[in-house]
């Protein structure tokens, strides 16, 4: 392995990573969240710096460790997965890898150079996070929250970064890189952070019944990649007093140290495995076995050509004509083609059984006061799982829709696709409807999990009406709005990573407002913690607010869809068209054409804002 060539690959990839909008959006999110935490505007409900209801320093090692592990898990995992998993895939789409046959660059230098660059970029982001924590905690303490700050100690920031932040980043970067290199598909890469988020946030961190065997509890601590369960179960669950948390370091035991080292070894081992596979594939040692359908397909002989004279068979006798398809015909064709491609994704079939088992086990093992068993009621289960369903489906829709929009460009079909006489609205709406099947299938799996638990309990009568009312009438507008926003973001940015940056930034901003409890009926587009269910009447208290909120969501979705059609003309842009579009007359003309689509959302949101202001 030549270190000079390795360094050159790493340097080139590192420059590419740090210049992406994805990387800078992560830094902006870190800046906003850290500022909110330091000013007291943001508090983390699970693992807050206020232990046992008493005031504690937010600069203690325990508080910094909780902040680092949660921010690293909730933000870094998605950004690192996209950056590392798409590294080799992006080179495939740019047709870079055939050049490796004409250069002395070895597969090991290529793979380890790219991985080192991705890892270095996000370790730099981790360093920025720690610098922001130090700056806002000790340099610019804010007003009333200054009393929550203790003296500066470097170890309070170095140890949490090394033990809670770095192992998770190494593992996610290595695992995502290996999945991207092995599958050469973007969607399996995205299932990793989504599945990990769902497993940890809704099981490993939340499920701690009193009857749980201590050996099982320690096993769950060991497999938790974030380390949150170990920290809470070992040190936070039993209050040790404010003085202890303010002055003592986080004591590490053999279980935690072993699990963190194993996490890093797994990440680096995944890269080594991908390097071996890449080397064999580059040399042609990996043989792709044709599918059974391809092996059984009969190759029909070409039809015999019959020479006919012009008099015997004039061209007009063939009755050939060309007619552009209408809106509905184009929509049906695009939707059908995208749906077939969606059903061929293997990652979806792997994720759905995991979701079914997870939701069923979580509902079956739910406990109430004094560890009593809770009976599953369809309405309450549907409302209680709305937050998880909206976050999970929005993340998956983001990845599926973006990759669907990028598929033609990546496969080299874009010049033909963009020249087809199919309306842009038919193309975009067809892709949106086809990928909306992801939302429908996931909600169906969750409803099936709830029904299975009801059947096993045999007490509450079965009913699918609450699922149709809560998820069908309330959540589907959220998913339509989110999909339209993704289409508009893709049209504005013109690329995959800019779209991911805007989408993750929008989700992060919404989560920021939710944690600050600043979401109102006007801004709460995903309806997080806004719906109450009672079997005595359906949404009688908040009926007017829910109707206005959902109408506004649909109106904004239509506006985003019109914006996407307006900006995504399926034409190559040059400097002349860009300057023409940026002229004041061009901007005013475009704004005037989009103005009618703003009438419904503006009027509805203004009406809803007045009602919110009146209490």
């Amino acid at each position: 392995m030549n270190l000079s060539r390795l360094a050159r690959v790493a340097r080139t990839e590192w420059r590419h990573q740090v210049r992406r909008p994805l990387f800078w959006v992560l830094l902006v999110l870190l800046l906003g969240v850290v500022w909110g935490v330091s000013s007291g505007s943001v508090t983390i409900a699970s693992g807050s710096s206020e232990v046992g209801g008493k005031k504690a320093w937010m600069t203690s090692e325990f508080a910094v460790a909780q902040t680092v592990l949660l921010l690293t898990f909730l933000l870094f995992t998605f950004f690192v997965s996209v950056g590392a998993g798409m590294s080799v895939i992006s080179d495939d789409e740019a047709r870079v890898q055939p050049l490796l046959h004409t250069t002395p660059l070895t597969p090991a230098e290529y793979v380890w150079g790219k991985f080192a660059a991705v890892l270095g970029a996000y370790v730099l982001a981790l360093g920025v996070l720690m610098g922001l924590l130090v700056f806002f905690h000790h340099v610019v303490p804010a007003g009333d929250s200054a009393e929550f700050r203790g003296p500066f100690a470097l170890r309070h920031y170095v140890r949490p970064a090394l033990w809670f932040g770095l192992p998770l980043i190494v593992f996610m970067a290595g695992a995502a890189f290996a999945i991207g290199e092995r599958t050469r598909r973007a969607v399996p890469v995205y299932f990793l952070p989504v599945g990990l988020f769902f497993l940890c946030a809704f099981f490993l961190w939340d499920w701690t019944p009193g009857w749980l065997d201590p050996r099982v509890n320690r096993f769950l601590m060991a497999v938790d990649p974030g380390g949150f369960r170990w920290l809470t179960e070992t040190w936070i669950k039993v209050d040790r007093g404010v003085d202890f948390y303010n002055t003592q370091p986080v004591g590490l035991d053999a279980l935690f140290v072993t699990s963190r080292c194993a996490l890093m070894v797994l990440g680096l081992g995944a890269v080594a495995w991908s390097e071996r596979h890449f080397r064999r594939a580059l040399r042609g040692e990996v043989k792709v076995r044709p599918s059974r359908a391809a092996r059984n397909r009969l190759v029909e002989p070409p039809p015999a050509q019959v020479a006919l004279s012009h008099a015997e068979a004039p061209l007009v006798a063939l009755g050939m004509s060309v007619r552009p398809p209408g809106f509905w015909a184009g929509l049906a064709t695009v939707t059908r083609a995208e749906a077939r491609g969606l059903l061929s994704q293997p990652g979806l079939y792997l994720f759905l059984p995991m979701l079914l088992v997870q939701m069923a086990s979580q509902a079956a093992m739910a406990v109430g006061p004094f560890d009593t068993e809770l009976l599953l009621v369809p309405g309450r289960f549907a409302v209680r799982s709305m937050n998880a369903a909206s976050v999970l489906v929005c993340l998956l829709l983001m990845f599926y829709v973006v990759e669907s929009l990028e598929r033609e460009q990546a496969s080299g079909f874009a010049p033909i696709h963009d020249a087809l006489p199919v309306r842009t609205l038919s193309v975009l709406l067809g892709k949106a409807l086809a990928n909306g099947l992801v939302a429908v299938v996931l909600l169906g799996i969750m409803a099936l999990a709830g029904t299975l638990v009801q059947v096993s309990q045999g007490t509450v009568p079965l009913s699918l009406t609450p699922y149709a009312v809560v998820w069908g009438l309330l959540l589907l507008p959220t998913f339509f709005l989110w999909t339209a926003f993704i289409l508009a973001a893709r049209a504005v940015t013109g690329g995959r990573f800019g779209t991911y940056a805007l989408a993750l930034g929008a989700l992060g901003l919404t989560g920021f407002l939710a944690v600050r409890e600043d979401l109102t009926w006007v801004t709460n587009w995903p309806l997080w913690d806004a719906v109450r269910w009672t079997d005595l009447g359906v949404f009688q208290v908040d009926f007017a607010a829910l109707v206005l909120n959902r109408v506004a969501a649909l109106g904004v979705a239509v506006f985003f869809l019109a914006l996407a059609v307006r900006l995504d003309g399926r034409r190559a842009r040059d400097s002349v068209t860009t300057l023409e579009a940026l002229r004041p007359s061009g901007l005013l003309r475009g704004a005037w054409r989009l103005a009618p689509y703003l009438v419904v959302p503006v009027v509805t949101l203004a009406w809803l804002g007045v009602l919110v202001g009146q209490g």
Side-chain angles (χ1 to χ4, degrees), residues 74-369:
L74 297 178
L75 294 180
F76 277 77
T77 50
F78 293 97
F79 287 90
V80 170
S81 296
V82 174
M86 296 301 299
S87 181
V88 177
I89 298 176
S90 298
D91 283 355
D92 267 357
E93 296 174 354
R95 309 297 190 269
V96 171
Q97 293 187 3
L99 299 178
L100 296 179
H101 291 285
T102 62
T103 65
L105 189 67
T106 65
E109 295 164 356
Y110 173 79
V111 169
W112 285 103
K114 294 184 77 67
F115 173 74
V118 174
L119 183 61
Y122 288 97
V123 168
L124 173 64
L126 178 63
V128 171
L129 169 62
M130 306 315 298
L132 290 173
L133 286 173
V134 172
F135 178 77
F136 283 107
H137 282 173
H138 300 282
V139 179
V140 286
D144 298 336
S145 60
E147 61 178 325
F148 295 98
R149 290 172 170 81
F152 172 74
L154 184 61
R155 64 179 176 86
H156 290 177
Y157 298 90
V158 174
R159 279 167 52 89
L162 292 178
W163 289 108
F164 292 95
L166 184 61
L168 182 60
I169 292 177
V170 174
F171 170 74
M172 292 301 299
F177 188 93
I179 293 175
E181 188 281 326
R182 183 64 179 83
T183 63
R184 303 300 171 95
R185 293 185 178 184
V187 173
V189 174
Y190 307 142
F191 273 112
L192 176 65
V194 174
L196 201 62
F197 171 80
F198 190 78
L199 176 65
C200 292
F202 301 105
F203 177 68
L204 289 178
W205 296 357
D206 186 60
W207 185 65
T208 55
W211 48 262
L212 187 63
D213 191 323
R215 293 172 296 181
V216 177
N217 193 29
R218 288 184 62 82
F219 172 77
L220 296 178
M221 291 186 216
V223 298
D224 176 17
F228 183 79
R229 187 183 185 95
W230 174 86
L231 185 64
T232 54
E233 293 289 324
T234 305
W235 296 108
I236 308 298
K237 196 170 184 179
V238 177
D239 187 12
R240 300 171 186 268
V242 172
D243 292 335
F244 177 85
Y245 294 111
N246 286 345
T247 58
Q248 297 300 315
V250 178
L252 307 178
D253 56 14
L255 174 69
F256 180 75
V257 173
T258 303
S259 68
R260 308 313 284 178
C261 293
L263 204 64
M264 297 181 69
V265 170
L266 286 176
L268 297 176
V271 180
W273 174 73
S274 65
E275 184 267 328
R276 179 176 177 271
H277 178 268
F278 181 81
R279 182 177 64 252
R280 295 178 59 200
L282 192 66
R283 294 176 178 175
E285 299 177 15
V286 177
K287 297 181 180 180
V288 180
R289 184 181 181 184
S291 62
R292 179 177 299 177
R295 294 195 303 268
N296 296 336
R297 188 182 298 119
L298 297 178
V299 180
E300 298 180 359
Q305 297 183 359
V306 180
L308 298 176
S309 65
H310 177 71
E312 294 175 346
L315 292 179
V316 69
L318 298 178
M320 294 186 299
S321 62
V322 177
R323 185 176 60 183
F327 168 75
W328 295 108
L331 177 65
T333 302
V334 174
T335 304
R336 187 165 53 249
E338 290 291 332
R340 283 199 300 264
L342 181 67
L343 295 177
S344 65
Q345 295 288 344
L348 192 62
Y349 298 101
L350 295 175
F351 185 76
L352 291 180
M354 294 173 54
L355 176 65
L356 177 63
V357 173
Q358 171 64 24
M359 293 300 299
S361 60
Q362 185 177 3
M365 294 184 294
V367 294

Side-chain angles (χ1 to χ4, degrees), residues 27-107:
L27 298 185
V28 171
L29 284 176
L30 292 176
L31 175 63
V33 174
V34 172
W35 170 79
V37 171
S38 65
S39 63
S41 300
V42 176
T43 56
I44 301 173
S46 56
S48 172
S49 59
E50 298 182 3
V51 180
K54 299 179 182 179
K55 293 182 179 179
W57 291 341
M58 63 177 63
T59 58
S60 67
E61 188 172 325
F62 280 92
V64 173
Q66 296 168 56
T67 302
V68 169
L69 74 88
L70 288 177
L71 290 183
T72 304
F73 186 86
L74 297 178
L75 294 180
F76 277 77
T77 50
F78 293 97
F79 287 90
V80 170
S81 296
V82 174
M86 296 301 299
S87 181
V88 177
I89 298 176
S90 298
D91 283 355
D92 267 357
E93 296 174 354
R95 309 297 190 269
V96 171
Q97 293 187 3
L99 299 178
L100 296 179
H101 291 285
T102 62
T103 65
L105 189 67
T106 65

Side-chain angles (χ1 to χ4, degrees), residues 244-566:
F244 177 85
Y245 294 111
N246 286 345
T247 58
Q248 297 300 315
V250 178
L252 307 178
D253 56 14
L255 174 69
F256 180 75
V257 173
T258 303
S259 68
R260 308 313 284 178
C261 293
L263 204 64
M264 297 181 69
V265 170
L266 286 176
L268 297 176
V271 180
W273 174 73
S274 65
E275 184 267 328
R276 179 176 177 271
H277 178 268
F278 181 81
R279 182 177 64 252
R280 295 178 59 200
L282 192 66
R283 294 176 178 175
E285 299 177 15
V286 177
K287 297 181 180 180
V288 180
R289 184 181 181 184
S291 62
R292 179 177 299 177
R295 294 195 303 268
N296 296 336
R297 188 182 298 119
L298 297 178
V299 180
E300 298 180 359
Q305 297 183 359
V306 180
L308 298 176
S309 65
H310 177 71
E312 294 175 346
L315 292 179
V316 69
L318 298 178
M320 294 186 299
S321 62
V322 177
R323 185 176 60 183
F327 168 75
W328 295 108
L331 177 65
T333 302
V334 174
T335 304
R336 187 165 53 249
E338 290 291 332
R340 283 199 300 264
L342 181 67
L343 295 177
S344 65
Q345 295 288 344
L348 192 62
Y349 298 101
L350 295 175
F351 185 76
L352 291 180
M354 294 173 54
L355 176 65
L356 177 63
V357 173
Q358 171 64 24
M359 293 300 299
S361 60
Q362 185 177 3
M365 294 184 294
V367 294
F370 308 106
D371 289 337
T372 55
E373 180 185 3
L374 286 181
L375 295 178
L376 189 144
V377 180
R380 287 202 298 268
F381 175 74
V383 170
R384 190 169 59 246
S385 57
M386 277 187 66
N387 290 0
S390 60
V391 173
L392 178 64
V393 173
C394 284
L395 288 173
L396 290 180
L397 279 179
M398 175 181 65
F399 296 131
Y400 270 108
V401 173
V402 172
E403 294 308 316
S404 175
L405 296 172
E406 292 287 335
R407 186 178 300 117
E408 289 80 17
Q409 189 68 34
S411 61
F413 184 65
I416 300 176
H417 173 269
D418 294 343
L420 294 175
V422 183
R423 298 183 183 183
T424 303
L425 179 59
S426 299
V427 173
L428 296 181
L429 191 58
K431 288 178 176 288
L433 291 178
N435 287 282
L437 291 175
V438 175
V440 175
V441 171
L442 289 179
L443 293 180
I445 290 296
M446 296 176 67
L448 177 61
T451 304
L452 292 176
V453 174
Q454 281 187 266
V455 171
S456 65
Q457 292 177 346
T459 304
V460 180
L462 296 178
S463 176
L464 297 179
T465 303
Y467 300 125
V469 171
V470 176
W471 293 344
L473 298 180
L474 300 184
L475 276 187
L476 288 184
T478 295
F479 303 147
F480 182 49
L481 169 60
W482 178 249
T483 304
F485 172 74
I486 297 298
L487 296 176
R490 171 62 173 72
V492 170
T493 60
R496 171 190 287 129
F497 298 105
T499 307
Y500 286 144
L502 287 181
L504 290 174
L507 274 181
L509 178 62
T510 305
F512 178 81
L513 295 176
V515 173
R516 291 185 58 180
E517 299 182 353
D518 285 343
L519 286 178
T520 66
W521 285 108
V522 178
T523 57
N524 194 357
W525 60 272
L527 291 180
W528 287 344
D529 296 327
V531 180
R532 289 172 289 180
W533 177 268
T534 172
D535 292 323
L536 301 178
V538 181
F539 310 134
Q540 291 183 349
V541 177
D542 300 321
F543 182 78
L546 282 172
V547 171
L548 291 174
N549 181 278
R550 295 297 85 188
V551 171
L554 293 175
V556 176
V558 172
F559 169 74
F560 280 140
L561 186 60
L563 180 63
V565 174
R566 171 73 179 172

